[in-house]
Amino acid sequence: SSGFWGWARHFQYFFELTAAWSWCLLANPLFQNGIFPLFYAVFLTYLLIDRADRDSKKCHLKYGKHYEEYCTLVPYKILPGIY
């Protein structure tokens, strides 16, 4: 595996989450507007983590041992070294 997909299986989600958290935190400096403006980032984080898990299960069923080999080469789902 090479490129971003050699680092993590869904590394593109990291950039999506970085953008979402940046927007939400910049729109709500020092939590002046409470925690509601963070809803989008929290929801998207949950959604993408769940999606990565569901995708992994589907690929496991579809590709079997080939996907297992890929998972041993690329053990992280979204962020290398963390998840």
Side-chain angles (χ1 to χ4, degrees):
S1 299
S2 62
F4 287 138
W5 285 267
W7 297 347
R9 287 177 256 158
H10 299 281
F11 195 59
Q12 73 275 19
Y13 293 173
F14 172 72
F15 299 109
E16 185 77 23
L17 291 170
T18 300
W21 280 98
S22 296
W23 295 329
C24 289
L25 292 172
L26 288 171
N28 192 21
L30 302 174
F31 301 102
Q32 292 173 352
N33 300 316
I35 60 169
F36 186 71
L38 298 176
F39 176 77
Y40 170 67
V42 171
F43 175 74
L44 188 65
T45 301
Y46 172 78
L47 179 83
L48 292 180
I49 288 173
D50 181 60
R51 185 176 180 181
D53 288 337
R54 287 183 290 124
D55 187 53
S56 185
K57 290 174 187 171
K58 286 181 183 179
C59 288
H60 210 44
L61 290 173
K62 184 174 183 178
Y63 300 110
K65 71 172 188 154
H66 299 293
Y67 189 70
E68 289 176 22
E69 291 173 13
Y70 175 62
C71 289
T72 57
L73 289 172
V74 185
Y76 298 105
K77 291 182 182 177
I78 296 175
L79 191 58
I82 296 176
Y83 177 75

